[in-house]
Each structure stands twice: as C-alpha cells, then as structure tokens.
Amino acid sequence: MFQRLRSRLFGIAYRVLGSVSEAEDVVQEAWVRWQGADRAAVLDPGAFLAKATTRLAINVAQSARVRREAYVGPWLPEPVDTSVDPQVGAERGEAVELAVLLVLQKLNPVERAAYVLREAFDYPYDDIAGMLQVTRANTRQIVSRARKRLAAERRDPVDTAEHRRLLEAFVAAARHGDVAALEGVLSADVVAYADGNGMRGVARLEVTGAGRVARISAFARKFFPGADYDVVEANGRPSLRLVRDGATVALVSATVGPDGIDGLYWILTPAKLRAYERSAHRVSPA
C-alpha cells in the first residue's frame, strides 16, 4: 500500500518544500507513522498518508524558512529528474517546474500545500480542509489567493518543442562561448539566477539583460573546463546539464517566452546537484 502511494507522497512533499532531500525525509517519516498506525482504525490509507505527509511538509517548510535566511545568494529549489516518473506522482504536471516552485516559495506553507493539493493532485476541497484543519470555505479562499498570486508572477509557457529548440540553441552557443549567438536566443529582459550558496566566482545577485546574461553564460566554458553539455529532463522540462569526470557540476533550467529565453536558473550547489542525481534513481510504482 505504501509503495503504491510513495510517488504521490513524494510529489506532494516536493512541491511544498522545493527540496528533493527534505521531501525524501518527509516521506520516510510518513512511513514511520504508517508503521505505527492502528491499521484497523484507518478507513482510507491514501487519505491518512496524504494528510500525514502534508502536515509533516508544512512543519518542515516553516522551519526551513529560518534556515534559508542564512543562505548566500539566490536560493533555488532542488531540481528533480522527472524522466523516471513524469508527473512525480501527480495526475498533472502543475507546480513542478522550477520557476513555478520558486514562486510557490513566496506563499506561506499552508497556502502552498492547499494550492498543491488542489491544482497538482485534484483533491476535493473537503479533503484539503481536513488535511489542513481549516474550514471548507477557508480552503477555497486560500487556494483562490494562491492562484491569483501565481497568475500575477508566472508567464504562460511555450510548447515543449519550442522550449527544447531554444534550449538546444543556447547549449550550442554556450558550449563554444559564442556571446552573439547566446544573445540571439535570449529575450531582452532575461533574468539569470545562480544558486551557489557562496561558491567562489558565482554571482550572488540576479543578472539581467541579454548582453550581461550572455557573457556570464559564455563564461561557463572557462568556469567548468572540459565539461560535457547535455540536454536532460528536469522538473518536466528540457534542461542543460554540465558533467565533468562523471559528476554533474551544473544544471540549468530555463523559462521561455515569445521573445526567447526569459529566465535562466543555474543550480551549482553540490548538495542540490547530488539530490538531482539521486532523484534519477527513484523507482516509480508499477
């Protein structure tokens, strides 16, 4: 029973926390609670485990906020390899893209959980109210506020084929350090974020504008000499992975608008890259 639900539970926790490692810990704790539960008294194991996972994730999210205040530079969610489990346990891919997860972090943990349960997993409002221990009317209001917040900050994505085409053009230009070609695939108001948590040589503020972002992207060739460039799947979208000596040294997710790539999210922190590599080995339920 638990194994059948594990992927869904991970999907809930991951979307609330934006962290592979923290989501894995939450699912493990949900397993401990399941082992200690009186099974005869559990009428709906799925509902019991979803509630336990949600409450645990909210608790972790509340404590994580304090820890992230000490983070050096932009904090970005840990990427997850969705090729092994395309929906990360969800009926829909909602709230799994890295840029959307980043916006979700601006909501408080309860708002985040309510939005995820409703929009990614299609739970009825009554069920969500029970998990969050609030009224049904309040649940509707929470989800509505979260929808409006996300709608105000996120852009409509282009189709996957166009996303891949632009990313592959970016990869080809970055591999050769071609600044002009890089500028050609970036929108004029592109923004780049680098999550290095204080790593030497990594920008600690967001970088804006096609010219500056192109130059920084071209510099990756010197920052990671000898690295191989691959297009992989992360968070439901094509992403760039740089590999050197068999290890991932950078993973870049992009958002794409009508004028080209308008957002670049560089994950450089080793612990987050290891979490991404580990996520590729998660086994989806049969």
Side-chain angles (χ1 to χ4, degrees), residues 1-6 9 31 34 39 44-46 49:
M1 172 65 71
F2 188 89
Q3 284 301 113
R4 287 203 303 271
L5 293 168
R6 179 184 286 274
L9 302 179
W31 163 251
W34 176 241
R39 307 290 175 84
D44 185 341
L49 287 166

Side-chain angles (χ1 to χ4, degrees), residues 134-168:
V134 297
T135 66
R136 187 177 191 276
N138 197 11
T139 300
R140 282 186 170 276
Q141 291 175 349
I142 292 170
V143 173
S144 177
R145 285 199 305 269
R147 280 182 185 144
K148 290 176 182 176
R149 181 74 179 271
L150 263 73
E153 298 206 34
R154 65 191 290 193
R155 301 181 184 183
D156 293 332
V158 302
D159 65 74
T160 301
E162 176 65 5
H163 189 117
R164 177 172 284 274
R165 184 191 71 78
L166 283 165
L167 184 67
E168 288 177 345

